[in-house]
Amino acid sequence: MELREIVRECERLYEDLELGSVRRWKEQNAGGRAVGYLPTYVPREILHAAGVLPVGILGAGEQLEIVRGDACFQSYICHLPRSVMELGLSGRLDVLDGMIFPSTCDVIRNLSGIWKLQFPAKYARYFDVPQNFETAVGGAFYERVLRELVDDMGRLTGRPPKECELRRSIRLYNENRRLVRELYELRAREPWRVPASESYLVLRAGMVLPVEEHSQVLREYLDEARAADRKMVDNARVVVTGAFCEQPPITLIRTLERAGCYVVHDDFMLVLRWLGDEVDDSDDPIGALRAAYLGYDEETSSRYVPDGQAKGAKLVEAVRANGAEGVVFAAPSFCDPALLDRPMLQRACDEAGISHTAFKYSENTGQLQPIREQAGTFADTIKLWGEA
Amino acid sequence: MRTAIAREASMDRQKAMIADHFRELARAKEQGRKVVYTFVPGNLTELMLAFDVLPVHPEINALQSGMRKLSGEFIGEAERAGHSEDVCTYVKCDIGMMLKGNIGPTGEKLPEPDLLLLSYTGCFTFMKWFELLREKYRCPVAMLHVPYQADGEITPSMSTYVVQQLERDVIPKLQEVTGKSFDVDRLRELLACSARAEDDLVHVLESAKHRPSPIDAYFGGVYYIGPLFTAFRGTPEAADYYRLLREEVEARLEKGQGPVTPEGILDDERFRLVVEGPPNWTHFREFWKMFYDERAVVVASTYTKVGGVYDTGFRHDPARPLETLAEYCLGCYTNLSLPARVDMIVRYVQEYAADGFVINSIKSCNSFSAGQLVMLRDIEERTRRPGAFIETDLVDPRYFSASNVKNRLESYFQMLSQKQAVQA
């Protein structure tokens, strides 16, 4: 497929709130199950090994009028759970055989309970990850959580995943993560070849496609992007952070680009990159997933930074490693984790002499002009004065 | 009709205990005492006292700042320092107080922490809060991750995880900070003392099953839980306080008296309510008055369970010191799933013969608030009792609209009144 076609196809998947691709997958895979998951992280390998299609549920963006979802949440709760409820209550998620709610924040946590109250007949699991990273303590707890998930998937499908199937899934996801990393590296190196608005859509396709198909999409996109004749312009290179859960609308990402920013790194859809690409596929697969989780020390707001590690160090490192000139703090309104982190991360940037700007959004933000002006001014400042 | 009363002895006793504690805190550094900041839900007071450290609870400081009308200024200070208007106002109040010199409720400077004991129980924000404080104080953090009771039960895996963290992280850090070794027998003594106080607290809270209720289990309840939820659990002083409180409540019960309000004893209970959610602290008296002016008595509340759920039978057990601490942490109210919270409120409405329930939805507190609208509908459906939904905040005075809250409550009470008239 040509570049435009690939991106157009990914955009179609992004816009398809009816989850048509998931429905088609289930038709083609008799007896196959599909289970949704929310940000930030779930071990998709376990679902895949059991023959379950993991489906990332990231809300409805700006495409859906929220009515029933608003009736579930007060005005000061972020937007993502509203649209997830709207999707659920309108039947758009009926194709899913269950939902997993990771321990991202209090709202996602409570959403797991709301889901159980609203959809008592469907499988719903709160997926607790440890905040203690010692193998014998947090690791042992997490291993038990992983085994519970294995059992759940076995019950859901009637076919508990075998160790060899888990190892195979780990290999497939390692390959997918390797390709995602390649995409990020190419974008950081030559951002004019990989606009963030395109890479976002290509990555977003990984929320609904089987991992094998998504890896193929990534390969094709990478080949086409490398070969594309696209001119470099004098944009400011920025890292976008704070968007690890509720996603900005694609129009917001395009707005940043139109305002003169090359997004060379971001924290969108961390599930695609969590664990790195080196999960051991040779021996005990659950032990390998546990070890990879404990050993992966990237920062995000839902993960505790233990004593001895400097808060914000990873962000500064990402700025340096990706040759960024500034940081755009883009957090969803009412997102406690991202907004409570922000002053600490800004301080880390200040100490490292890194320019930054900040705004809030929601997944259905429509008023983009103020963001365009703010991002444009930020990009101009970087370009005109180097260190603003 | 209200009967004027003299202050009850338990009120003065508690006031003296708190004043003593803050005096000790003010002298802590000169006396070489170690200070540990920690949170109310999942607090490990007995363990801290076994190491002879002085606990400081930032939420308590924030709520006291709210009651003393200082929180608005502190929140503004934090927002000027870069904190978002969207986030928890307890955190901002505490940060603002710190930026303004960390002067505590008694007007004396609070000592800086030697350790931040992050009991990460039922509130995600706690983690961010202590990450913020760690930056400021540059002191160690003992993280205790308490898994969420998503499926309405404490599993052996959860309990083991918490116990292991106590053994391998929390206790070693307390040892390191204090230079003292862990004395399990001392811990057992404190836990035994806790259990006695917990028995009496439950007796007090359950007295509200009588008609008329001798207590208000929300506005009065927040005072009753004070010693047990903060620095005093495990102490003989707390056990004495609860025995005294229990005797006072029993005396009121014998006389058929209602609860004590700021304007005297409420003798003619009209509405019996269950309340979900924390109170507003900036206008606490005004808020309470909206209830007792209508002769509405809160007979059970969930907020009085944030620092421990005791009325379902849990008691700290000295025979299993670390396991009991783990079970305590896991069982705190905001660590319960939404369905379990609904079950609890439904049970309260039924067992306490409530006419209805009120949800005070707190802008600051996602842990409590996210999902309350769904809870409202579920509880109404299951109990066939009407619910009221009001919105305020913990300590941000900008989010307390007295007229709106009063309007809603008055309409609700009118509705209850009509319902009573029809049933009569």
Side-chain angles (χ1 to χ4, degrees):
Chain A
M1 264 199 283
E2 284 183 10
L3 189 70
R4 278 188 186 182
E5 261 180 80
I6 297 169
V7 175
R8 204 175 301 129
E9 185 52 35
C10 291
E11 190 159 11
R12 268 197 287 272
L13 292 171
Y14 168 78
E15 288 171 350
D16 179 15
L17 299 180
E18 308 294 330
L19 296 177
S21 65
V22 178
R23 290 173 204 277
R24 283 192 292 282
W25 181 88
K26 285 185 81 169
E27 283 162 15
Q28 289 159 10
N29 294 271
R33 298 277 191 264
V35 169
Y37 63 86
L38 271 83
T40 306
Y41 169 74
V42 298
R44 294 171 299 161
E45 293 86 346
I46 291 176
L47 280 66
H48 179 271
V52 173
L53 178 67
V55 181
I57 301 299
L58 301 184
E62 51 195 334
Q63 304 170 65
L64 191 64
E65 190 187 355
I66 308 299
V67 179
R68 281 166 282 200
D70 274 347
C72 297
F73 295 100
Q74 302 89 319
S75 56
Y76 50 79
I77 304 289
C78 58
H79 204 271
L80 176 72
R82 301 164 193 282
S83 64
V84 171
M85 285 306 294
E86 188 73 32
L87 290 169
L89 293 169
S90 63
R92 289 177 171 88
L93 302 183
D94 286 354
V95 68
L96 301 178
D97 300 284
M99 286 281 275
I100 301 176
F101 301 85
S103 50
T104 301
C105 68
D106 291 328
V107 174
I108 301 289
R109 185 198 71 177
N110 286 10
L111 183 58
S112 71
I114 296 174
W115 206 264
K116 284 177 184 173
L117 290 170
Q118 294 288 327
F119 307 102
K122 282 277 178 89
Y123 168 77
R125 156 74 66 181
Y126 176 73
F127 184 73
D128 218 344
V129 293
Q131 299 289 359
N132 174 299
F133 307 113
E134 196 185 334
T135 302
V137 183
F141 168 72
Y142 187 49
E143 188 159 334
R144 295 190 290 270
V145 171
L146 290 173
R147 291 195 189 282
E148 283 168 15
L149 188 61
V150 170
D151 292 344
D152 283 357
M153 291 303 108
R155 273 192 292 274
L156 195 66
T157 59
R159 186 177 72 83
K162 296 179 194 139
E163 288 215 345
C164 60
E165 290 168 322
L166 284 161
R167 280 194 288 271
R168 179 175 169 271
S169 297
I170 287 173
R171 276 195 288 279
L172 288 167
Y173 279 96
N174 276 347
E175 169 66 359
N176 188 262
R177 284 185 286 259
R178 189 190 63 72
L179 290 161
V180 170
R181 180 162 56 83
E182 217 175 290
L183 180 64
Y184 270 80
E185 285 170 356
L186 176 62
R187 196 181 67 177
R189 213 167 43 244
E190 299 172 291
W192 56 94
R193 291 195 187 283
V194 186
S197 50
E198 268 189 23
S199 65
Y200 181 83
L201 292 170
V202 170
L203 294 168
R204 181 80 183 242
M207 298 294 104
V208 291
L209 292 177
V211 64
E212 301 88 337
E213 278 181 45
H214 185 237
S215 291
Q216 188 54 31
V217 170
L218 284 164
R219 280 186 209 100
E220 288 179 24
Y221 178 79
L222 279 162
D223 288 345
E224 292 294 321
R226 282 192 192 101
D229 181 22
R230 285 169 156 170
K231 299 278 179 288
M232 185 179 87
V233 293
D234 191 25
N235 277 359
R237 299 166 60 92
V238 301
V239 170
V240 175
T241 190
F244 63 94
C245 183
E246 181 175 323
Q247 299 293 287
I250 188 70
T251 45
L252 192 153
I253 300 172
R254 288 180 181 134
T255 296
L256 291 179
E257 292 180 317
R258 285 177 193 141
C261 295
Y262 278 141
V263 178
V264 294
H265 195 69
D266 58 60
D267 61 356
F268 307 145
M269 294 170 285
L270 287 174
V271 69
L272 295 169
R273 287 172 282 155
W274 211 248
L275 305 187
D277 53 10
E278 295 298 330
V279 183
D280 182 12
D281 61 6
S282 63
D283 193 15
D284 166 25
I286 297 300
L289 286 169
R290 179 211 66 208
Y293 185 85
L294 295 183
Y296 190 65
D297 63 353
E298 282 301 317
E299 265 184 44
T300 189
S301 302
S302 56
R303 185 181 166 105
Y304 176 60
V305 173
D307 282 6
Q309 292 177 25
K311 187 94 186 168
K314 293 288 175 185
L315 177 60
V316 171
E317 200 179 301
V319 170
R320 304 277 188 247
N322 293 292
E325 299 163 287
V327 173
V328 173
F329 288 96
S333 295
F334 303 109
C335 175
D336 261 16
L339 293 169
L340 285 162
D341 256 5
R342 188 185 272 184
M344 293 184 274
L345 300 178
Q346 287 176 329
R347 209 151 26 239
C349 286
D350 289 340
E351 284 168 10
I354 297 165
S355 307
H356 52 84
T357 189
F359 58 79
K360 290 184 290 186
Y361 65 84
S362 70
E363 60 173 350
N364 66 343
T365 292
Q367 296 292 328
L368 295 166
Q369 191 55 27
I371 291 175
R372 182 167 183 165
E373 284 169 14
Q374 187 180 344
T377 306
F378 183 59
D380 289 348
T381 310
I382 286 173
K383 286 289 132 191
L384 287 170
W385 290 290
E387 287 179 15
Chain B
M1 182 179 167
R2 276 169 231 141
T3 312
I5 54 147
R7 279 181 70 80
E8 292 194 303
S10 65
M11 296 177 190
D12 293 330
R13 177 80 61 91
Q14 184 175 159
K15 198 175 172 189
M17 286 162 72
I18 292 169
D20 283 349
H21 180 64
F22 278 99
R23 262 194 298 277
E24 278 194 73
L25 282 170
R27 293 197 305 262
K29 296 295 172 183
E30 67 191 62
Q31 295 185 339
R33 302 277 304 272
K34 299 296 179 187
V35 174
V36 176
Y37 285 19
T38 196
F39 294 111
V40 169
N43 72 74
L44 301 169
T45 304
E46 298 89 347
L47 187 61
M48 290 188 281
L49 297 182
F51 283 94
D52 196 31
V53 302
L54 287 168
V56 170
H57 301 86
E59 313 108 294
I60 304 296
N61 294 338
L63 78 84
Q64 293 204 347
S65 297
M67 292 180 103
R68 288 178 299 127
K69 310 285 183 196
L70 291 171
S71 55
E73 187 188 338
F74 292 155
I75 290 165
E77 188 71 19
E79 289 179 358
R80 281 189 291 279
H83 290 268
S84 169
E85 64 272 24
D86 287 1
V87 302
C88 171
T89 54
Y90 265 177
V91 178
K92 286 186 290 187
C93 184
D94 185 45
I95 300 271
M97 189 175 94
M98 187 175 75
L99 293 172
K100 291 275 219 180
N102 221 18
I103 306 301
T106 54
E108 290 172 292
K109 191 176 185 333
L110 287 169
E112 295 198 353
D114 298 290
L115 177 72
L116 297 167
L117 175 45
L118 172 45
S119 55
Y120 178 49
T121 304
C123 171
F124 181 87
T125 298
F126 287 162
M127 188 164 89
K128 302 285 109 186
W129 194 338
F130 273 10
E131 283 182 346
L132 284 159
L133 292 196
R134 178 175 57 189
E135 271 204 350
K136 164 71 182 165
Y137 293 119
R138 307 274 171 200
C139 68
V141 179
M143 158 57 114
L144 179 72
H145 173 209
V146 177
Y148 183 55
Q149 271 202 57
D151 296 322
E153 60 169 355
I154 298 172
T155 64
S157 169
M158 293 173 181
S159 195
T160 302
Y161 176 42
V162 178
V163 169
Q164 284 183 326
Q165 292 176 82
L166 292 173
E167 288 170 338
R168 296 173 69 115
D169 194 29
V170 176
I171 291 173
K173 280 199 168 124
L174 281 163
Q175 284 177 326
E176 200 181 316
V177 163
T178 60
K180 293 178 180 171
S181 49
F182 173 49
D183 180 352
V184 73
D185 292 328
R186 172 76 184 126
L187 177 61
R188 287 182 208 277
E189 281 170 27
L190 291 158
L191 291 167
C193 217
S194 296
R196 287 199 296 279
E198 288 154 6
D199 274 342
D200 286 336
L201 173 67
V202 170
H203 195 87
V204 167
L205 294 177
E206 290 190 338
S207 70
K209 288 181 181 171
H210 292 87
R211 194 185 286 264
S213 168
I215 64 162
D216 186 290
Y218 186 56
F219 297 103
V222 299
Y223 291 101
Y224 303 154
I225 59 174
L228 205 55
F229 281 18
T230 59
F232 306 100
R233 203 178 65 219
T235 63
E237 291 81 5
D240 289 348
Y241 165 82
Y242 283 101
R243 180 46 49 103
L244 178 62
L245 178 66
R246 177 175 172 168
E247 286 165 3
E248 286 172 354
V249 170
E250 279 173 350
R252 284 209 295 278
L253 203 57
E254 274 177 31
K255 291 179 201 160
Q257 286 183 324
V260 178
T261 75
E263 296 181 33
I265 293 176
L266 180 66
D267 286 329
D268 44 358
E269 170 189 296
R270 187 176 172 205
F271 305 118
R272 296 168 64 84
L273 300 173
V274 172
V275 174
E276 145 78 6
N280 162 270
W281 300 110
T282 55
H283 298 74
F284 184 80
R285 285 285 175 91
E286 197 178 346
F287 189 31
W288 190 354
K289 190 172 165 57
M290 291 177 197
F291 285 73
Y292 66 70
D293 275 354
E294 297 282 348
R295 292 148 46 208
V297 176
V298 181
V299 290
S301 67
T302 55
Y303 182 68
T304 51
K305 314 299 177 318
V306 287
V309 175
Y310 298 108
D311 60 350
T312 48
F314 171 81
R315 296 289 180 275
H316 282 92
D317 178 3
R320 303 161 54 248
L322 298 188
E323 290 79 3
T324 204
L325 286 173
E327 286 156 16
Y328 156 75
C329 293
L330 285 157
C332 288
Y333 179 72
T334 46
N335 204 47
L336 305 182
S337 69
L338 247 65
R341 285 169 58 185
V342 167
D343 287 346
M344 180 186 277
I345 296 167
V346 167
R347 181 169 64 80
Y348 283 164
V349 169
Q350 291 165 347
E351 288 183 3
Y352 287 77
D355 300 298
F357 63 98
V358 175
I359 294 180
N360 184 30
S361 170
I362 292 291
K363 183 245 174 199
S364 266
C365 187
N366 289 343
S367 176
F368 253 107
S369 302
Q372 281 177 327
L373 285 164
V374 177
M375 289 171 70
L376 172 83
R377 291 193 287 273
D378 225 56
I379 298 163
E380 279 188 333
E381 201 173 302
R382 285 176 58 184
T383 61
R384 301 282 167 202
R385 296 281 192 284
F389 199 89
I390 51 176
E391 292 190 27
T392 70
D393 188 52
L394 295 165
V395 289
D396 192 336
R398 296 170 296 188
Y399 291 98
F400 187 84
S401 169
S403 52
N404 282 346
V405 174
K406 198 166 195 300
N407 268 344
R408 283 203 182 183
L409 286 174
E410 280 178 352
S411 308
Y412 179 66
F413 292 135
Q414 276 173 18
M415 190 244 292
L416 288 183
S417 179
Q418 282 172 355
K419 211 171 164 209
Q420 283 179 342
V422 170
Q423 285 167 347

